[in-house]
Amino acid sequence: GAVVSQHPSWVICKSGTSVKIECRSLDFQATTMFWYRQFPKQSLMLMATSNEGSKATYEQGVEKDKFLINHASLTLSTLTVTSAHPEDSSFYICSATLGQENSPLHFGNGTRLTVT
Amino acid sequence: QKEVEQNSGPLSVPEGAIASLNCTYSDRGSQSFFWYRQYSGKSPELIMSIYSNGDKEDGRFTAQLNKASQYVSLLIRDSQPSDSATYLCASRNSGTYKYIFGTGTRLKVLA
């Protein structure tokens, strides 16, 4: 149980274009999902907390107009990287929790974004 | 700043040995603790959760928690080359939804 599916697993796009990444909880409902970014050989960096039916909460330093998050249902959250630049190239990983007090985070397989 | 700290390593152990990975945390409100394994280029996968003081065993893995010392550890018995990865320690505060991750310890199991 607690499977999180993320799509696509990799994407290459040109500078200035937008890319949408989907994160789905397959066998549970996730009122909260988390989006992380990870650069090579670095630790996970929390970008934002996505709450179903409300605005996402962004971490300090993360541009909310650049990284648009939509959590329209209990099983789907999307991250759109708008006007992508090469420095946005990274590994983006979503995660979700069952929401109980001791529930762990379950991660999607991640999306490798390369902006050329 | 609520932190989870880990030694970045690499920690090298011979095949068949016990690997000991350590983690300290600063937030006394943390109630739940998690160990994840992350292979290069992959997303983290959950190995174990622990919430109570003491030891918790699952196969070759044993997690240890000492809330008084704010210390969490993971022991891997009979280490295998396939255990070579980065191990992330995480905590969760019972009052918030936030999960705090350490920077990870890179483990190398030498064949």
Side-chain angles (χ1 to χ4, degrees), chain A residues 31-32 34 36 38 43-44 46 59 91 93 97 99-110 112, chain B residues 31-32 34 36 38 40-46 49 51 88 92 94 97-104:
Chain A
T31 55
T32 303
F34 302 86
Y36 290 85
Q38 188 175 39
S43 61
L44 294 170
L46 178 64
E59 295 300 301
F91 191 44
I93 317 172
T97 172
Q100 295 157 358
E101 185 165 331
N102 293 323
S103 296
L105 280 181
H106 299 279
F107 287 90
N109 288 332
R112 176 80 52 194
Chain B
Q31 296 295 320
S32 311
F34 311 95
Y36 291 84
Q38 186 176 25
S40 180
K42 303 293 185 183
S43 67
E45 55 180 321
L46 179 68
S49 306
Y51 327 115
L88 302 171
R92 180 175 181 266
S94 63
Y97 254 125
K98 283 209 176 165
Y99 294 76
I100 308 298
F101 282 84
T103 53

Side-chain angles (χ1 to χ4, degrees), chain B residues 77-94:
Chain B
R77 289 180 298 281
D78 189 23
S79 296
Q80 301 297 309
S82 58
D83 294 325
S84 298
T86 296
Y87 289 80
L88 302 171
C89 173
S91 70
R92 180 175 181 266
N93 184 297
S94 63

Side-chain angles (χ1 to χ4, degrees), chain A residues 67-86:
Chain A
F67 299 100
L68 301 179
I69 291 173
N70 184 284
H71 193 156
S73 78
L74 288 171
T75 59
L76 174 63
S77 176
T78 61
L79 167 67
T80 301
V81 183
T82 63
S83 186
H85 289 119

